[in-house]
Amino acid sequence: MQRRDFLKAGLGAAIAGPLLLQPWQAHGDPPAGGAAADEGMPLGPQQPLVRSKLDPALDLTDAVTLETWVKAAPMEQGGGRILDKLIAGTSEGFTLDTYPGNSLRMITRKGSCSFDARLAADRWTHVAGVYSASGKMFALYLDGQQVAAVMDGDFPAMTTPRTPLTIGADPDGANLFHGRILRAAVYSRALTSEEIAQRFANPNTRLTGAVGEWTFPANPGKTIAPIHGALILMNTNWTPDVVGAVAGPENALALWYRKPAREWLEALPIGNGRIAAMVFGGVGTETLQLNEGTLWGGGPHNYDNPEGLAALPQIRQLVFEDKFHEAEELVNAKFMGKPAGQMPYQTVGNLKLTFADQENASEYRRDLDVSSARTHVQYRAGGVQYQREAFASAPDNVIVMRLTASKPGKIGFSVAFDSPQKTTSSSPDAHTIAIDGTSGDHGGVAGAVKFQALARVLAEGGRVHSEAGTLTVEGANAVTLLISIATSYKNYQDVSGDAAALALGYLDAAAKKPYERIRSAHVDDYQRMFRRVEIDLGTSPAAKLPTDERVVAFQNGQDPSLTALHFQFGRYLLISCSRPGNQPATLQGLWNHEMNPPWDSKYTININTEMNYWPAAPANLIECYEPLFDMIGEISVTGRHTAKTQYNANGWVTHHNTDAWRGTAPVDQVYSGMWPSGGMWLCKSFWDHYEFTGDEAALRRHYPIMKGAAEFFLDTLVEHPVQQYLVTNPSVSPEIPHAGGYICAGPTMDNQLLRDLFDACVAAAELFGEDADFAARVKATRARLAPDRVGKAGQLREWLDDWDMESPDMHNRHVSHLYGLFPSHQITRRGTPELFAAASKSLEIRGDDATGWSMGWKINLWARLEDGDHAHKLLAMLLTPQRTAPNLFDLHPPFQIDGNFGAVSGICEMLLQSHSQEIHLLPALPSAWPTGRIHGLRARPGAEIDLSWNNGKLASATIRSQHAGALRIRSAAPLSVTEHGRPVASSQDGDVIIFTAAKGGTYAVRPA
């Protein structure tokens, strides 16, 4: 997917200085106010996270100076934010941060100014970054001396995103800086070189223009007051005193914690496929951050660029002439969508409950029970035991919270909405509050989605009052709180729905039911899907620890039950964010607390959206596919317009991103956006669904869409002038540069995708006995595609030419050319041994360390290579604080849900594979799981499988066949098959046993 990462975060980076000793490095410890070595606030995992409130004083547009004194600890995963008011993944706002090697960088809308600083770990370094649009100044200073500057180009005014100033992290609490911070300041003007030198010499020098200046103690309290300026910082890690440790829940399928959430990445997610909340579990204040899946910025929009078609022949010619830079410039000028970015998924806002006299609590615990999709909070305060339960009900279309106490008359609180959207609040009746708004503008497209959220209190005893958008409850024995949210979004073309009528309808219907009935219907509905799969990988003493502590300790590999919990949590997330009739899972599933989240929390279809659905079939959640299938159908309509407008082609096309408005034109940058193959990869999910289910009726519905995707490429593939293959042009191997640039013709991944699409179309046409001429044309075109080939380093070549070893980014997180190994099965151990070895070599060259989602993909790849220990190594790297948040959300960083789903798929692949016309039992079992069992995995060609193993060897398997026909079962040891205790006739083909299954038959498989 597109990522403005540490090396691509800006447009005009200053070239790093030489690695010679600089004058500022010879000073020793600078005069940071006489600080001792162990003073200053620690930054990093499990350390204080300090930020401001949203404050207009930080809405700086012309100039800013960021200043700090830091010590930088080594950071294995790259760099981190020091002073940050930037939307992650963008240049909206400003930040002072480090990138790999603890080098220094400042980012504004201008781009980035960077310097190879190698910030020291053993002394305080004075750092300053200065930007001025009117003064045309962008510079970095170390210990009072300027070390880098950007002097050329435009100097645009800065934007003012609605994010706070965060110390040591980004707004999500990710991209953590590791080290210590002693002092910092933000100025609303550009300090001069003389002033910065003066501050280095004497930190107590007071200068004008300080929005805030602070000193940081080693153990900050709830707030940090400024020593200059007026901006107060808050320690978001501070929580009210919670004393008295309590044991965790008996249920092993629960995430649990001994303190309330301090950050969004510590809150617990609930969702019903349409609406969602993040539950913080606070004591004095409870926060539910709210989402509705159709609340997107902008409105119905056509991104197609009518100038693209005229430029296409020249672009192709430039690519064939190896004039890659010129081709990329022409694409940017004439072929990218209008606008060149798409719309963001946005938050509804928050519902906050404020409780009186509950700041000090004991016996606190909060948890998320993934076996029943409910969160719980319990604590004791003032001699009273308080409990809260929350869930998002799909049957009743509301979010529900139940509040109880051990003594009567003790439930009292006020509740109100707040939102970063433009909204109005009201009190429709004595028991209800409302918030109404419209989604935000973005990229020049006006916000068009109207929404309403309602909260209603159903109290047992006590008094309830509603006024001016605030509900007040006093002296109740118990309370049920119902939350309803709806929008005006009907589909990608129509936003004329009545949000208020929908929201009220859901609320009124639920309010007529007793709480226990709502709760029971929710649990039954959820468990109907969740209970299909059970997993047991063993346990250890670590299983008794809170979940956040288990993540910190997991790298020692002695917590197999955390792997099982992570697996089932991933299934919980997919059920909770992808239900029939709703939107598919975004980059963040259904959960997002920002107006402009990283990468807009869209659908990135050069890997991430597809990865979201890798577990749907093998993890037995087949109906979770439906929202994705609905979106593909809609994209096939908008994509026909793009195909005709920009390529003059039949069929349909989509590139690397889409949104709620189903944009299909190329967007963002050439290195990600100029890739016409997104539709092919999406169509693979149709064929996967058919292979796992044998559902011909579904395939019949999907076949016209698959055919349309193929028709586009039948019209647009062009002959390579040298190699004579038919190739895509222009294209990219997603986000990977070759020595000449990114743009290219016929990258390996495109050819692999074409083979899968063409083969599926031919097979479907033959199954249905139709489209013979079309199928013949597809076969002829397929025969002219370039084959996968081995390169000079023994690797699988990523491009037509053997450019891999000259790539300036050969360790990139993307492994697109290995699509043929997984999720496709064009490369297999027994079918294509030479390519299998080359794929393994490519994976070794790429390396293990990567972003969270990339590690998720690599787990699957190593499983397909049948190397269970290496797959488990990647899983262990994923389950660390650098790549997994305290609430088990995957971290790129920042949060991306695809890594969660990639890990679920990877565990399935380690235990069961069915891609080579056979069911392979325990193909990549790691030594870390010597004994275990799993129940209910799905396999091709339509079967459910139970497995158990002891001492690393298969003990038994059960196969429930959904279709009649021959089954081929591969195992490391000879097998026997019985049905109801009677032997089943079988034959042997090497390590494969073959028998004929009856539809609905259940077969026991054991070592012979």
Side-chain angles (χ1 to χ4, degrees), residues 519-538:
R519 180 180 182 269
S520 178
H522 158 72
V523 172
D524 289 347
D525 171 77
Y526 171 77
Q527 290 184 340
R528 174 179 55 82
M529 291 183 282
F530 182 81
R531 284 185 169 177
R532 293 172 189 162
V533 174
E534 299 173 0
I535 185 171
D536 181 358
L537 299 176

Side-chain angles (χ1 to χ4, degrees), residues 458-516:
L458 304 176
E460 298 171 20
R463 298 166 300 282
V464 179
H465 176 66
S466 180
E467 183 177 1
T470 299
L471 272 167
T472 304
V473 179
E474 298 174 322
N477 301 323
V479 169
T480 300
L481 178 65
L482 302 177
I483 304 159
S484 175
I485 314 168
T487 79
S488 64
Y489 182 101
K490 289 186 171 182
N491 57 54
Y492 68 97
Q493 302 174 94
D494 186 351
V495 291
S496 66
D498 189 336
L502 288 169
L504 184 60
Y506 298 142
L507 187 68
D508 283 346
K512 295 175 183 177
K513 301 177 182 180
Y515 170 74
E516 289 300 331

